[in-house]
Amino acid sequence: MARYIFITGGVVSSLGKGLASAALGALLQARGYSVRLRKLDPYLNVDPGTMSPFEHGEVFVTDDGAETDLDLGHYERFTGVAARNTDSVSSGRVYSTVLEKERRGDYLGKTIQVIPHVTNEIKEFLHVGDDEVDFMLCEIGGTVGDIEGLPFFEAIRQFSQDKPRGQCIFMHLTLLPYLAASGELKTKPTQHSVKELRSIGIAPDVLVCRSEQPIPEKERAKIGLFCNVRKENVIAAYDLKSIYEAPLAYHREGLDQAVLDAFNIAPAPKPDLRRWDDVADRVFHPEGEVKIAIVGKYTQLEDAYKSIAEALTHGGMANRVKVKVEWVDAEVFDKEDAAPYLEGYHAILVPGGFGERGTEGKIKAAEFARTRKIPYLGICLGMQMAVIEAARNVAELPDAGSEEFDHEAGEKRFTPVVYHLKEWVQGNHKVARKVTDDKGGTMRLGAYTAVLDPDSKVAEVYGATTIEERHRHRYEVDIKYRDQLEACGLHFSGMSPDGKLPEIVEWKDHPWFIGVQYHPELKSKPFAPHPLFDGFVKAAKENSRLV
Ligand code: GLN
């Protein structure tokens, strides 16, 4: 039976709970334990799939097709454990399950209440797979005291009572603000936050305190005393230059030891941190720099493309270069020449996206990369734009476009080289969709197999001819145009196993131009960079020697 670590936050949001949880997971692995990480989000959306990336950052997709919070991406990047549908839950999902059960009559006429019906549903979620790992790390989104979060806090309190003593611990993240005028770190907000937690019946075992300044022993002792936590379990979390330093930094501060002590695990197995030493070495000692443009729409918020930014960093680590990413707004050159905006980059990446806004600029970026022979990686929408560019400018289909944009505009303007996919095969069964379907959870989602042409750049990059990658899209390149485009040199180098869905395209006569219908960035890890990002950064590095 797994031991449970509940991770909560207080004082302010954005303290790095997700990163702390992920780093702790990595440290427990380094000590030989198996782990799984989970996120419980108090918002009322059923999942983040329908939330704007402006507001909520990217949507992370799991192999089994769940659209989840971007923290699950951190978990995977740090532990290498593939997240599942059952690792992410929101109030919205909990309530909709409870209400479905109520409608079915499952509650046999009882009055439905937050306690016990909602809390039981949350506890059930926590239990899934508890016989599979040594440690289950469950992060509660938001901060203690939020109205929406209360059922989750109540559920974890009950859960720890239901389990044998010593089976669950609570770790709480807070902030120690620094007052420059008096030169002091203030502990009061932390005290209040812990008080709030204790008032709902949860006593933290470990406190992780974010601080810009070193925490003096005296302050640590004071926090311990006032918050009823052992002094050794007051862990400092300082700002880091790279998130990939987090496991080593938390280990230095004694987080993993404190957690094992809280579980009374003695003697604790020694950690093997070589993986993270190597990662840190690669992050901090690059031997050069490449400049890569990400031509997108949600450029105001880096979190909208979190996994891509991280995967590029991993590609840099594999090639021992620092990847300097610049976010270029595609809309700016929708109607003008893209060259002045894109010259000087060693490679261009066009990421996924939805809606027509900015797509003319993305098409121009693909054209610029093709004609100037700049390495190009097109992801999902970025692949579709590369195909439209090829159709318009090389295959003489000047009206080529995506049905997505016609649907949005409510009129037919384009020859649909990219069309709305209504039927496809997943494993052994057929999936069917209509344009009028609900928006939530109805895309082609999750892991699908692609078969690669052995005589292609992409097969060389992967070193394989069968791959599995994660998808999240509604539209698809129409195979009807394959022959026409291939005759112009755009090679359809990866296809779905039934040969119906184009998964990868590449220009034959180009040093490195690959478009993929899936999201490779979701599977990249610092200790195992994704082959496409490794190859793309390598091509950028080679190009940097030429420009
Ligand atoms: N909007 C496109 C589609 O639905 C691309 C989606 C994406 O880039 N993730 O097919």
Side-chain angles (χ1 to χ4, degrees), residues 12 47 203 220 415 462:
V12 292
D47 64 40
R220 224 179 267 254
T415 305
Y462 274 94

Side-chain angles (χ1 to χ4, degrees), residues 39-51 56 67 88-101 107 117-118 121-122 125 147-152:
K39 180 86 193 273
L40 298 91
D41 272 308
Y43 49 72
L44 283 168
N45 302 62
V46 172
D47 64 40
T50 48
M51 287 159 101
H56 198 73
E67 298 177 280
S88 166
V89 79
S90 65
S91 290
R93 186 152 136 207
V94 171
Y95 280 102
S96 79
T97 315
V98 169
L99 294 177
E100 263 167 41
K101 286 189 181 171
Y107 296 117
H117 301 99
V118 170
E121 200 60 45
I122 299 172
F125 163 81
I147 290 177
E148 291 100 332
L150 279 173
F152 288 104

Side-chain angles (χ1 to χ4, degrees), residues 6-260:
F6 293 107
I7 299 124
T8 57
V11 184
V12 292
S13 58
S14 306
L15 280 179
K17 264 193 321 243
L19 183 59
S21 311
L24 176 59
L27 289 173
L28 292 169
Q29 283 180 322
R31 290 191 188 249
Y33 295 110
S34 58
V35 299
R36 176 161 290 282
L37 286 97
R38 258 180 200 163
K39 180 86 193 273
L40 298 91
D41 272 308
Y43 49 72
L44 283 168
N45 302 62
V46 172
D47 64 40
T50 48
M51 287 159 101
S52 158
F54 280 123
E55 267 191 39
H56 198 73
E58 94 180 347
V59 174
F60 191 80
V61 182
T62 59
D63 280 331
D64 56 6
E67 298 177 280
T68 71
D69 188 84
L70 83 176
D71 273 325
L72 271 79
H74 283 314
Y75 304 164
E76 273 205 43
R77 281 189 283 277
F78 279 81
T79 62
V81 177
R84 299 179 192 150
N85 183 16
T86 44
D87 293 329
S88 166
V89 79
S90 65
S91 290
R93 186 152 136 207
V94 171
Y95 280 102
S96 79
T97 315
V98 169
L99 294 177
E100 263 167 41
K101 286 189 181 171
E102 188 272 337
R103 292 289 83 183
R104 270 204 312 263
D106 291 6
Y107 296 117
L108 306 174
K110 286 257 175 304
T111 307
I112 312 307
Q113 295 179 299
V114 172
I115 305 170
H117 301 99
V118 170
T119 45
N120 281 354
E121 200 60 45
I122 299 172
K123 289 198 285 183
E124 227 163 85
F125 163 81
L126 292 169
H127 272 296
V128 176
D130 72 346
D131 51 352
E132 290 176 21
V133 288
D134 299 320
F135 287 96
M136 195 76 88
L137 287 75
C138 306
E139 178 191 345
I140 318 292
T143 39
V144 61
D146 295 348
I147 290 177
E148 291 100 332
L150 279 173
F152 288 104
F153 284 88
E154 171 60 14
I156 61 176
R157 183 195 68 75
Q158 291 178 12
F159 187 92
S160 75
Q161 286 298 315
D162 298 345
K163 290 276 175 190
R165 238 172 208 288
Q167 194 79 20
C168 300
I169 68 159
F170 295 94
M171 170 170 139
H172 189 57
L173 257 86
T174 70
L175 174 72
L176 299 184
Y178 177 70
L179 285 193
S182 56
E184 279 176 318
L185 280 176
K186 305 307 282 182
T187 64
K188 195 69 85 188
T190 296
Q191 294 178 39
H192 277 292
S193 170
V194 171
K195 196 169 146 199
E196 180 83 38
L197 203 56
R198 289 161 57 103
S199 75
I200 49 180
I202 294 172
D205 299 281
V206 177
L207 272 184
V208 174
C209 302
R210 278 296 295 270
S211 170
E212 286 174 15
Q213 301 288 330
I215 308 176
E217 268 319 288
K218 196 169 93 320
E219 296 304 317
R220 224 179 267 254
K222 182 174 163 190
I223 296 168
L225 181 65
F226 282 89
C227 298
N228 199 29
V229 171
R230 286 161 188 265
K231 193 175 86 175
E232 312 75 63
N233 290 7
V234 177
I235 307 294
Y238 302 121
D239 295 346
L240 301 173
K241 283 204 198 70
S242 160
I243 56 168
Y244 296 119
E245 215 190 331
L248 296 177
Y250 273 123
H251 177 67
R252 262 196 316 270
E253 296 300 326
L255 176 63
D256 43 335
Q257 190 59 55
V259 163
L260 295 173

Side-chain angles (χ1 to χ4, degrees), residues 296-427:
K297 185 168 67 170
Y298 307 112
T299 45
Q300 293 91 328
L301 182 70
E302 270 189 41
D303 272 358
Y305 298 122
K306 187 77 195 150
S307 292
I308 293 186
E310 296 309 328
L312 283 170
T313 305
H314 307 159
M317 288 156 69
N319 290 283
R320 288 220 169 254
V321 288
K322 179 173 168 35
V323 177
K324 189 158 180 270
V325 169
E326 282 182 24
W327 309 86
V328 180
D329 186 356
E331 255 188 301
V332 175
F333 45 84
D334 249 1
K335 292 195 179 60
E336 50 183 299
D337 184 14
Y341 300 93
L342 297 177
E343 266 159 358
Y345 292 108
H346 303 129
I348 293 172
L349 188 151
V350 177
F354 293 85
E356 187 171 8
R357 199 156 61 77
T359 50
E360 288 302 322
K362 292 177 189 178
I363 292 169
K364 284 190 182 150
E367 181 184 9
F368 178 84
R370 173 178 61 82
T371 52
R372 301 274 192 110
K373 304 244 184 279
I374 312 286
Y376 177 94
L377 177 57
I379 295 177
C380 209
L381 186 72
M383 174 228 197
Q384 297 173 355
M385 296 305 105
V387 172
I388 292 172
E389 192 279 317
R392 285 188 191 173
N393 301 329
V394 192
E396 292 173 17
L397 285 164
D399 299 325
S402 168
E403 231 183 341
E404 177 174 8
F405 313 149
D406 280 351
H407 284 161
E408 197 182 25
E411 56 173 321
K412 186 159 166 33
R413 296 163 301 158
F414 294 116
T415 305
V417 171
V418 177
Y419 71 107
H420 184 241
L421 186 66
K422 296 195 186 60
E423 208 176 270
W424 67 91
V425 178
Q426 180 168 36

